[in-house]
Amino acid sequence: MPNVIEMKGITKIFPGVVANDNINFHLKKGEIHALLGENGAGKTTLMKILYGLYTQTSGDIFVNEQKVWIDSPNKAIELGIGMVHQHFMLVQPFTVAENIVLGAEPTKELGILHQKEIIRQVEEISEQYGLMVDPHARIQDISVGMQQRVEILKALYRGADILILDEPTAVLTPQEVRELTSIMEKLTAEGKSIIFITHKLKEVKAISDRVTVIRRGKVIGTVNTNDVDVRELARMMVGREVILEVEKQEATPEEVIFSAENLHALNDRGLPALDGATFDVKVGEILGIAGVDGNGQTELTEVLTGLRSLASGKVCFKGEDVSRLTTRKRIERGMAHIPEDRQKRGLILDYPLSLNMILGHHYQKPFSRGINLNYSKIRENARGLIEEFDVRTPNEEVEAKNLSGGNQQKVIIAREFSRDPDLLIAAQPTRGVDVGAIEFIHKRIVEQRDAGKAVLLISLELDEILSLSDRIAVIYEGKIVGIVDAKDATEEELGLMMAGAGIQQGR
Amino acid sequence: MDRVLNSKLVKTITPWMSNLIVPILAVLFALIIGGIFMIMVDANPLEAYTVLFKSSFGSTKNFFETLVNATPLIFTGLSVAFAFKCGLFNIGGEGQFIAGYIAAAWLGAFFHMPWYFHIPFVLLGVIVAGAIWGGVPGLLKAKLGVHEVISTIMFNYTALHLVNYLIRTVLVDPGYASTPLIDKSARLLRFYQIDFLNLRQIARGSRLDLTFLIALLVAFIIYWILWKTNIGYEIRAVGHNPSAAEYGGINVARNTFLAMAISGALSALAGASQVIGLQGKAYQLFGFIGHGFTGIAVALLGKNHPVGVILAAILFGTLQRGANSMQSVAGVPKEVIFIIQAIIIFFVASDYVIRKIYRQIKLKKEEVE
Ligand SMILES: Nc1ncnc2c1ncn2[C@@H]1O[C@H](COP(=O)(O)OP(=O)(O)O)[C@@H](O)[C@H]1O
Ligand SMILES: [Mg+2]
């Protein structure tokens, strides 16, 4: 098969970062080519160069063996390249059909939209590729999986032969992932070529024909997917041997320490985000909350930690109603919180590590005497935590913004664990951290449980939920639609619940 | 060479240097451009700058007079800097200045007690007045989300007209456009009145009074609050990242109010310094005096750090004082000084740009080496 894309010696330098370092990448006609790498490896950057959103610092691009200079997405589209971004770019109040044709709309004289023609064309193209959509539905009313289809159709409508999908599975349930897989297979059967970006090893194996692994901006290698196993891929991606399974014993849960009853709350736009969520957490267990992004996880975390007010419902901790308590009071009662967005919530980036590591306890002994900060104790605390949690930093006075994402996360983890909390609320504790750090964080969370504490784990990564939790609750549209024992849970069953097919609330 | 670069001394000094480099460059640029303007109006910049320097630093008396100009600017500069540390832009310095101005005049002239009560009493009253005038906009921001820039501007005008009304009516000294003189017991001594270290000789002819020392003391207190206490920890946390502060159990609304109240009190002390020190009374105002606004420039140039604020206040004091003598001695129009001030502010505000150029020069140098 001929190469439809050849990227040769591509280098992209952002101020202070070499995002792509002399990358060679070839895409064959009709293949699904996975681009695998950890967060920050440079995958998106490479594809944005191909799609004309960035221009390379050096290197050449060949499309169908012709050397090309792609300086805008329009140029890319002209060359038959389409991209579906990590974050969709759809116009919410428009219909599916309008979004698909947007930018190349068929019009009648005087530029009036030719509505009938639009619908006809959209129906035609969706039938051709077996991508069924309702052309009349508004984007705001359809599921994320559907929106993704619309994005793909949009690219196809503009005549894309080469499709770039940037982390398309991140927002999908397992069932939707399977559907996407079959769509991709159909597209390649039609002669399209697909670049599929991911950081999940299992997906590479399940979906792709070949895989190119990128680490820190450099290509580690391109291999046929059938010739490698998951361990091998992990090693290529991380650069060393990794343990993929979390080692843990059976839980020995005791009494209920924390309960949420019939929680209702609004999101930032004033719309209902929590709609009667109910669950409880026992001492000595990890309760995982699974769900597709945007089903109330953020609001749930905030409500439990006092960062968002409850419209109604009740949160109890150690037998006390804490629903109306401030965040500070809840911390004092023994709650700790690893926030989902470390840069927005978890750290004061301009503060040195030492000051970040006391946030929340800064006004208490030994960090404060009266109103005076005790810097020697503060530094001592930081040095101890840096050592214990293996934070890679020259010293404790470095500002948090100068650390890598994984190390920033370790600072937060260190701080929250150092409080020896009775309940740890961990929201996306491993988002954006490298595999090595994931191992470490998972181990600490299990240790926390084994030390007789309670853990509430809220994560979008189903694998993480499955490997850590003792019980799993599934959240869908602000409700807990089911709670299952992790031992008996299957990806299948959870996936169905994540899509809203609820079984009755079990305990 | 490497040993020197890695030594502890250099390591502690370098961050300081990088903080100093922009303000210093800004001042140098401004002086050069000011010089070009002087040449354009056929004046001799060298002569003018010599006059400027002499009038401010030529003798102890002159230097002390410069400090007279600097004193209110230290307070207002600290005021702006403090609010800024909490992420707030307090441009209500004028209004808060006026609040302190009138409070000092009222409490100083209409209440009578021995000095060791009177002075603390006046200062306390001034602080309360400023805390209210700054704190209310803080409260509006914290509770209703009203932007402090808008509310403090409104409070400036309210203060101006309210105070003029008071001075015309209830607080008037009949026959004068001012309040009556405050009691001696509320007045701070001038340096030449103090029998200490030959001050009578050294400070003769200068109006510098003890409010300057209060300004230095207050600058130290502000430094201590911001960097050595958990109050400062919280205020700066809110300034850097309110969401993270909230996550850490810090009450953002409370700290917003607190920072504005303290900021207001600082500007009010500037107003008081004019009454209990320099003038002995409050005059009717024909407009804003401008110390509050200059405080913004002082804070900017001083990088919102108390030490920087003191140095910047002295620089602005120098320029203000030099403007007059440059005009009379060197024939340079006063406006040139305003241009220089404006250019300083401009450059410091475009700190980012300068930093970028500086970094590129450094990069180039590294490449060459
Ligand atoms: N617009 C940008 N400006 C500066 N740095 C960027 C920009 N986009 C990406 N980077 C940096 O380039 C590196 C690679 O990022 P990215 O391509 O998004 O990684 P991936 O998609 O593999 O997670 C990261 O270090 C990231 O911080
Ligand atoms: Mg990416």
Side-chain angles (χ1 to χ4, degrees):
Chain A
M1 279 287 159
N3 285 334
V4 283
I5 300 275
E6 291 180 11
M7 299 179 85
K8 292 188 180 165
I10 301 288
T11 295
K12 175 70 184 176
I13 300 177
F14 291 117
V17 201
V18 183
N20 289 162
D21 186 357
N22 194 19
I23 287 194
N24 292 307
F25 175 81
H26 297 191
L27 177 68
K28 285 184 194 162
K29 186 165 170 58
E31 73 168 341
I32 299 177
H33 194 136
L35 199 54
L36 176 71
E38 297 193 279
N39 273 301
K43 310 177 295 289
T44 299
T45 303
L46 184 69
M47 288 303 117
K48 283 189 172 170
I49 290 171
L50 183 57
Y51 192 58
L53 286 165
Y54 296 148
T55 49
Q56 64 269 35
T57 311
S58 64
D60 296 317
I61 301 176
F62 297 81
V63 175
N64 297 323
E65 280 150 19
Q66 297 289 312
K67 185 167 167 181
V68 292
W69 180 251
I70 305 173
D71 53 4
S72 73
N74 281 334
K75 186 74 196 280
I77 291 164
E78 229 173 78
L79 292 166
I81 301 170
M83 180 160 178
V84 176
H85 295 275
Q86 220 161 338
H87 303 284
F88 301 154
M89 303 186 171
L90 297 170
V91 186
Q92 292 287 326
F94 281 19
T95 64
V96 167
E98 284 163 350
N99 267 285
I100 291 173
V101 301
L102 192 71
E105 318 83 31
T107 52
K108 295 193 271 201
E109 58 282 6
L110 296 175
I112 297 166
L113 287 184
H114 198 320
Q115 290 291 355
K116 267 213 200 103
E117 179 63 14
I118 292 177
I119 301 287
R120 196 192 63 75
Q121 289 183 358
V122 167
E123 279 173 345
E124 186 183 293
I125 194 166
S126 89
E127 236 156 73
Q128 184 186 344
Y129 295 105
L131 281 159
M132 289 313 165
V133 289
D134 172 5
H136 300 282
R138 283 180 201 290
I139 298 296
Q140 60 207 19
D141 301 330
I142 63 176
S143 72
V144 177
M146 271 299 160
Q147 294 186 19
Q148 191 170 59
R149 275 189 196 187
V150 174
E151 284 276 16
I152 295 173
L153 278 170
K154 194 172 155 179
L156 294 172
Y157 179 81
R158 299 214 194 166
D161 290 318
I162 298 149
L163 265 179
I164 305 165
L165 306 177
D166 193 353
E167 308 231 5
T169 58
V171 292
L172 303 181
T173 64
Q175 280 83 2
E176 285 173 322
V177 170
R178 227 162 295 144
E179 277 172 45
L180 177 69
T181 312
S182 70
I183 288 170
M184 285 163 67
E185 274 156 11
K186 239 177 259 166
L187 288 171
T188 48
E190 292 268 337
K192 309 281 178 194
S193 319
I194 296 177
I195 303 171
F196 163 68
I197 302 183
T198 185
H199 63 266
K200 295 183 189 167
L201 303 163
K202 279 206 294 195
E203 289 173 357
V204 173
K205 282 297 285 178
I207 299 175
S208 68
D209 301 315
R210 288 199 303 158
V211 51
T212 294
V213 183
I214 300 186
R215 186 165 79 222
R216 296 198 185 147
K218 289 196 176 78
V219 169
I220 301 304
T222 300
V223 289
N224 288 325
T225 311
N226 286 333
D227 299 346
V228 285
D229 62 8
V230 172
R231 289 181 74 86
E232 179 100 31
L233 285 173
R235 203 171 48 228
M236 288 172 79
M237 178 162 99
V238 185
R240 63 179 173 79
E241 204 66 46
V242 280
I243 303 152
L244 296 164
E245 292 294 314
V246 182
E247 288 171 36
K248 75 189 220 300
Q249 254 77 59
E250 187 94 358
T252 49
E254 293 163 35
E255 77 279 6
V256 168
I257 185 173
F258 182 79
S259 66
E261 271 171 50
N262 203 15
L263 304 182
H264 289 261
L266 303 179
N267 65 15
D268 287 338
R269 289 186 294 164
L271 303 171
L274 290 180
D275 185 20
T278 300
F279 60 89
D280 53 36
V281 190
K282 300 191 183 84
V283 167
E285 75 162 354
I286 301 173
L287 176 72
I289 304 247
V292 177
D293 197 7
N295 275 287
Q297 290 95 329
T298 306
E299 290 80 5
L300 178 65
T301 315
E302 289 178 350
V303 157
L304 299 182
T305 52
L307 293 166
R308 181 178 294 272
S309 55
L310 269 177
S312 69
K314 193 169 150 190
V315 181
C316 284
F317 182 47
K318 295 192 204 165
E320 179 191 8
D321 182 352
V322 298
S323 318
R324 300 278 170 271
L325 292 188
T326 59
T327 301
R328 174 166 295 186
K329 289 262 167 56
R330 294 188 207 202
I331 296 173
E332 283 171 358
R333 300 286 192 280
M335 280 194 201
H337 171 199
I338 299 167
E340 62 176 18
D341 188 337
R342 61 175 162 255
Q343 305 228 334
K344 180 177 160 228
R345 283 271 189 214
L347 292 169
I348 293 165
L349 292 174
D350 291 307
Y351 268 2
L353 300 190
S354 59
L355 291 186
N356 268 297
M357 282 170 159
I358 62 168
L359 181 62
H361 281 198
H362 54 274
Y363 59 97
Q364 289 177 333
K365 276 185 183 163
F367 307 129
S368 281
R369 269 177 316 206
I371 61 167
N372 283 290
L373 290 173
N374 185 344
Y375 275 101
S376 66
K377 283 279 189 293
I378 291 171
R379 294 214 180 91
E380 201 179 293
N381 170 66
R383 279 195 292 264
L385 292 179
I386 287 170
E387 168 93 33
E388 184 187 345
F389 287 82
D390 190 27
V391 181
R392 304 283 161 82
T393 170
N395 60 56
E396 73 279 6
E397 291 311 303
V398 170
E399 285 168 1
K401 64 179 170 208
N402 296 324
L403 262 55
S404 70
N407 278 302
Q408 288 180 343
Q409 189 71 356
K410 280 190 191 168
V411 171
I412 296 172
I413 303 255
R415 178 183 68 212
E416 299 306 309
F417 277 105
S418 72
R419 297 176 179 166
D420 194 20
D422 295 319
L423 172 72
L424 173 70
I425 299 176
Q428 305 266 63
T430 56
R431 175 154 92 177
V433 305
D434 55 54
V435 174
I438 291 178
E439 258 179 88
F440 177 82
I441 293 168
H442 282 175
K443 220 176 96 209
R444 296 297 305 220
I445 289 178
V446 173
E447 277 172 22
Q448 185 74 5
R449 178 201 77 171
D450 292 344
K453 307 299 169 113
V455 179
L456 179 66
L457 170 72
I458 300 164
S459 176
L460 301 177
E461 305 273 347
L462 195 51
D463 283 344
E464 178 165 56
I465 296 272
L466 278 166
S467 58
L468 282 181
S469 313
D470 301 310
R471 286 190 302 144
I472 299 172
V474 178
I475 190 167
Y476 175 74
E477 295 193 340
K479 281 197 245 323
I480 301 296
V481 289
I483 301 181
V484 294
D485 240 319
K487 287 195 300 286
D488 323 325
T490 62
E491 219 171 272
E492 197 65 46
E493 181 192 12
L494 290 173
L496 285 172
M497 287 197 276
M498 283 160 70
I503 55 172
Q504 66 278 25
Q505 294 239 111
R507 288 280 143 135
Chain B
M1 187 65 196
D2 260 13
R3 280 255 295 284
V4 177
L5 280 178
N6 287 328
S7 77
K8 201 163 175 189
L9 185 69
V10 172
K11 273 196 182 140
T12 40
I13 287 179
T14 336
W16 271 95
M17 295 251 289
S18 74
N19 269 329
L20 279 179
I21 202 132
V22 173
I24 289 175
L25 280 183
V27 172
L28 278 178
F29 274 132
L31 291 179
I32 292 169
I33 296 176
I36 295 172
F37 272 102
M38 292 178 199
I39 293 171
M40 277 161 57
V41 298
D42 285 331
N44 180 348
L46 244 72
E47 189 193 343
Y49 284 137
T50 314
V51 170
L52 175 74
F53 186 81
K54 278 202 179 139
S55 72
S56 296
F57 301 101
S59 66
T60 352
K61 182 207 135 197
N62 283 345
F63 181 58
F64 278 20
E65 277 299 295
T66 302
L67 296 182
V68 170
N69 283 332
T71 301
L73 299 181
I74 294 176
F75 285 117
T76 54
L78 288 172
S79 164
V80 175
F82 194 85
F84 195 79
K85 282 285 169 203
C86 193
L88 298 160
F89 194 28
N90 176 16
I91 36 182
E94 287 298 331
Q96 295 143 16
F97 176 99
I98 295 171
Y101 190 65
I102 197 68
W106 175 48
L107 301 175
F110 291 81
F111 293 79
H112 314 288
M113 53 192 93
W115 69 267
Y116 45 86
F117 284 135
H118 211 169
I119 290 172
F121 172 71
V122 170
L123 289 177
L124 206 68
V126 164
I127 288 173
V128 170
I132 292 172
W133 222 250
V136 171
L139 211 58
L140 289 174
K141 164 104 179 193
K143 293 290 171 200
L144 302 174
V146 179
H147 201 284
E148 72 277 8
V149 166
I150 302 197
S151 55
T152 52
I153 290 179
M154 282 167 36
F155 268 61
N156 283 346
Y157 285 95
T158 314
L160 179 65
H161 296 295
L162 185 66
V163 162
N164 275 344
Y165 173 78
L166 290 175
I167 296 179
R168 273 200 310 274
T169 55
V170 284
L171 300 181
V172 71
D173 186 4
Y176 296 89
S178 72
T179 62
L181 261 183
I182 60 171
D183 287 9
K184 255 209 147 87
S185 55
R187 192 94 188 252
L188 286 180
L189 291 178
R190 293 195 168 163
F191 276 39
Y192 70 78
Q193 295 168 320
I194 303 170
D195 274 316
F196 183 70
L197 284 181
N198 213 10
L199 271 177
R200 277 182 190 280
Q201 282 298 319
I202 300 170
R204 190 158 60 194
S206 143
R207 298 166 298 157
L208 188 66
D209 57 65
L210 289 172
T211 53
F212 173 68
L213 292 188
I214 294 184
L216 296 185
L217 179 69
V218 167
F220 176 77
I221 293 173
I222 291 302
Y223 170 80
W224 171 72
I225 291 180
L226 279 176
W227 280 280
K228 300 292 173 196
T229 71
N230 53 35
I231 301 170
Y233 179 93
E234 296 202 351
I235 284 179
R236 289 188 297 131
V238 171
H240 285 305
N241 184 347
S243 297
E246 190 187 20
Y247 156 88
I250 294 170
N251 187 332
V252 174
R254 211 197 96 186
N255 279 286
T256 302
F257 166 73
L258 185 67
M260 279 303 286
I262 292 178
S263 175
L266 289 166
S267 278
L269 285 171
S273 75
Q274 305 298 288
V275 175
I276 63 173
L278 202 58
Q279 302 166 178
K281 52 169 137 174
Y283 294 96
Q284 260 195 49
L285 302 167
F286 298 104
F288 295 125
I289 297 176
H291 293 322
F293 293 135
T294 309
I296 298 171
V298 168
L300 210 58
L301 183 64
K303 292 258 152 179
N304 299 309
H305 190 285
V307 175
V309 164
I310 292 172
L311 295 176
I314 293 176
L315 177 78
F316 275 81
T318 306
L319 293 175
Q320 280 174 4
R321 185 169 159 69
N324 290 321
S325 38
M326 268 168 63
Q327 180 151 18
S328 51
V329 182
V332 174
K334 240 181 168 166
E335 284 70 21
V336 171
I337 288 292
F338 300 146
I339 291 175
I340 292 176
Q341 286 188 11
I343 294 170
I344 292 176
I345 297 167
F346 175 80
F347 274 127
V348 177
S350 29
D351 178 355
Y352 170 76
V353 181
I354 297 189
R355 257 170 207 272
K356 205 167 166 180
I357 295 169
Y358 173 72
R359 211 174 291 143
Q360 263 166 11
I361 294 171
K362 227 171 85 179
L363 272 181
K364 282 248 171 67
K365 250 169 108 186
E366 273 161 18
E367 268 168 32
V368 172
E369 279 164 11

